[in-house]
Amino acid sequence: MSDRDPGGISRRRLLGSAAALAGAALAPGLFLVQAHPDGGADAGARWGLLVDTNRCRRDCRACVDACREENGWPAADNAGGDIHWIRKVDLQPAEADGPGHSAPVMCQHCAEPPCVSVCPTRASFRRADGIVLVDKHRCIGCRYCMVACPFHARAFVHAPVDERSPNHPRGKGTVESCTLCVHRIDRGEAPACVARCAEAGHAALVFGDLNDPDSEIRHALRERSAEALRPDLALDAGVRYHGLS
Ligand code: SF4
Ligand code: SF4
């Protein structure tokens, strides 16, 4: 029997994460990994995503809806602004009469992240396992990172918002972006978008540890060629796309 869950995290790692969390509760509902986002990081891992644009359907928004529900984005017309972490993009076919493709675009979890380089307060940071996050307590809302990100992956919260999620507390005047569902990864689960895409029957998203040669994503990358968005920028993205060319 395989020791992998559908999202590609080995049971060995899942059990390790669960053990690390045992006893980490600071108070009911508040865990150390939430207070200190680097606390759950596995320094031996590099979490990544493979987006298969041949399997992603143009009329499907399952990943966007899952992300919104999981991370509590407010409706697009709320006072805080259009806070979205993931968006669907239609890709132009290489051939004029080609079928065209569709793909979700979110934070690419760059190994050389410009958002981290420009942040004056070190609010933008990269965890030991490759996940790029914003520490809300340090963010002063200067938005340098939004300008620096070539993928327009970050959103700014302009005003107080009623919608909140225990998975992702948010506050006026701070920047946020895809966390790869770090709260789920630290419990040994795949990101919500990956799970929902599989439930929808498309399986266009493969998640896993890019450093583990036995992971589902590494197996998929051996079978399917993949490239980063804007490879010319040499950001070493953790998100790779199959079927772009
Ligand atoms: Fe930073 Fe943008 Fe790269 Fe994400 S995609 S790590 S926000 S530069
Ligand atoms: Fe850093 Fe926040 Fe400024 Fe972005 S908006 S560069 S996270 S302080």
Side-chain angles (χ1 to χ4, degrees):
M1 187 200 309
S2 165
D3 76 337
R4 304 202 155 272
D5 77 353
I9 303 179
S10 70
R11 292 211 175 98
R12 173 179 52 79
R13 178 155 284 145
L14 188 154
L15 290 170
S17 297
L21 282 175
L26 301 176
L30 178 62
F31 288 81
L32 199 59
V33 289
Q34 288 172 297
H36 301 285
D38 215 7
D42 177 347
R46 182 168 184 211
W47 300 117
L49 278 179
L50 171 64
V51 181
D52 188 334
T53 66
N54 293 330
R55 296 188 182 187
C56 181
R57 293 178 50 129
R58 280 195 164 179
D59 59 354
C60 176
R61 290 177 52 84
C63 56
V64 178
D65 293 341
C67 184
R68 182 182 292 278
E69 292 164 23
E70 182 76 21
N71 296 295
W73 317 342
D77 59 354
N78 84 98
D82 184 9
I83 304 165
H84 63 263
W85 292 6
I86 176 173
R87 63 190 192 278
K88 283 294 297 292
V89 173
D90 287 339
L91 306 167
Q92 294 295 328
E95 306 291 334
D97 56 353
H101 298 287
S102 175
V105 176
M106 68 293 281
C107 172
Q108 305 290 293
H109 296 281
C110 312
E112 304 289 340
C115 58
V116 172
S117 302
V118 301
C119 180
T121 64
R122 299 187 186 168
S124 287
F125 69 100
R126 185 171 180 266
R127 293 204 330 173
D129 56 8
I131 301 175
V132 177
L133 297 171
V134 178
D135 182 338
K136 301 293 181 347
H137 300 287
R138 284 176 169 265
C139 178
I140 57 173
C142 68
R143 291 174 265 183
Y144 287 179
C145 57
M146 292 180 69
V147 176
C149 174
F151 307 105
H152 306 291
R154 291 200 153 175
F156 182 67
V157 181
H158 287 269
V161 289
D162 293 333
E163 290 91 340
R164 293 181 186 278
S165 165
N167 297 330
H168 189 83
R170 59 173 42 86
K172 174 187 173 184
T174 60
V175 162
E176 53 187 65
S177 55
C178 160
T179 66
L180 265 188
C181 285
V182 63
H183 56 287
R184 291 172 61 106
I185 291 174
D186 286 346
R187 336 187 264 257
E189 299 172 13
C193 56
V194 178
R196 188 70 64 86
C197 184
E199 288 166 16
H202 307 313
L205 303 175
V206 181
F207 167 74
D209 180 3
L210 293 165
N211 286 345
D212 179 357
D214 292 327
S215 66
E216 186 178 351
I217 193 170
R218 285 284 297 274
H219 280 291
L221 285 168
R222 279 193 283 275
E223 294 167 358
R224 291 174 250 177
S225 61
E227 57 190 304
L229 298 179
R230 295 295 309 271
D232 55 309
L233 298 177
L235 302 176
D236 189 6
V239 183
R240 319 277 166 82
Y241 290 79
H242 170 70
L244 288 183
S245 52

